[in-house]
Amino acid sequence: MNIFVLLKRTFDTEEKITITNGFIDEEGAEFIINPYDEYAVEEAIQIRDAHGGEVTVVTVGGEESEKQLRTALAMGADKAVLINVEDDLEDGDQFTTAKILAEFLKDKEADVILAGNVTIDGGSGQVGPRVAELLGIPYVTTITEIEIKGTQAKLIRDVEGDSEVIETSLPLLVTAQQGLNEPRYPSLPGIMKAKKKPLDELELDDLDLEEEDVEPKTKTIEVFLPPKKETGKILEGDLSDQVKELVQLLHTEAKVV
Ligand SMILES: Cc1cc2nc3c(=O)[nH]c(=O)nc-3n(C[C@H](O)[C@H](O)[C@H](O)COP(=O)(O)OP(=O)(O)OC[C@H]3O[C@@H](n4cnc5c(N)ncnc54)[C@H](O)[C@@H]3O)c2cc1C
């Protein structure tokens, strides 16, 4: 079985986020595999172990994404591909990323493509479905279970806490939801082996893409942090006076009544 995982390097949202000149300041931040993509890597490895074949992880990004690709290889993926757009593109959005990934995947005869449900930084949840649309294959989002029999797949997807059971056929793209599995930690032998596994690097040229083919369709106008939480107010005095003051504040300050 030919299995692909779409993997994004994201900054760790446990990090303190600061905005500089309208952009999230990445200086000194820790970077990780997007957590939902870890579920995708784990599931891909389990599918390969059950059905045979190989797992390829692919990222659109820059040189520094190599670290996260090596981690996926250390978990057990077989190959990695970095589509390095650093020198070719200044801007990109979900269209850009999906178009590049679909162009890479179109002749790979993938049976199953796994992506994360959403990234913890960009958070649009668009890239997986967009890639499937461009490839003209079925997709099922937020899956918590996948069972493959021949060319058929039975999936359970999370629908806001409820479950939906879906049957479809391969080739198929799915997006991973929390609860799909418990991603393994890379073992020491896994880390050693990963150093020798193939990590290919491609550029737009290798995919016969020009800059204008992947021009972003959207523009981010502004990025800002939520307003700082104000300290709480403690009301004092008689209970009846406190209630009056509370109602007054709800009316004039919170403007909720
Ligand atoms: C050249 C370039 C410049 C960019 N510049 C900026 C910028 O200045 N500011 C900014 O905020 N963003 C920038 N981006 C990032 C871009 O806007 C989105 O972050 C990216 O397209 C993914 O969208 P998302 O984070 O909403 O992912 P989602 O749609 O939420 O991701 C869902 C899933 O899709 C897959 N996926 C997503 N992204 C990738 C990827 N890169 N490679 C492989 N799989 C992926 C993963 O499986 C992920 O879990 C740039 C992108 C490119 C290509």
Side-chain angles (χ1 to χ4, degrees), residues 92-145:
D93 64 0
Q94 290 77 11
F95 165 79
T96 312
T97 307
K99 175 88 181 160
I100 295 170
L101 287 167
E103 211 53 34
F104 166 76
L105 287 161
K106 71 175 187 197
D107 57 0
K108 298 293 183 294
E109 296 182 353
D111 296 301
V112 184
I113 303 169
L114 296 105
N117 160 39
V118 73
T119 57
I120 57 167
D121 55 359
S124 71
Q126 289 189 22
V127 171
R130 276 176 179 266
V131 169
E133 279 293 318
L134 289 166
L135 294 173
I137 62 171
Y139 63 90
V140 182
T141 56
T142 58
I143 67 152
T144 53
E145 211 174 304

Side-chain angles (χ1 to χ4, degrees), residues 61-85:
E63 205 75 50
E64 64 285 358
S65 306
E66 262 195 47
K67 188 173 171 213
Q68 285 68 36
L69 288 173
R70 286 277 173 218
T71 304
L73 291 172
M75 285 172 75
D78 302 287
K79 292 186 197 167
V81 177
L82 169 62
I83 306 174
N84 192 338
V85 293

Side-chain angles (χ1 to χ4, degrees), residues 8-17 24-26 29-35 120-122:
K8 187 181 175 194
R9 167 187 186 263
T10 58
F11 57 79
D12 191 343
T13 44
E14 299 289 312
E15 296 272 323
K16 186 172 171 5
I17 294 171
I24 291 170
D25 194 346
E26 297 185 347
E30 269 300 311
F31 282 83
I32 55 171
I33 296 177
N34 179 49
I120 57 167
D121 55 359

Side-chain angles (χ1 to χ4, degrees), residues 156-164:
I156 301 182
R157 65 182 295 265
D158 171 45
V159 196
E160 307 234 339
D162 285 330
S163 297
E164 187 175 25

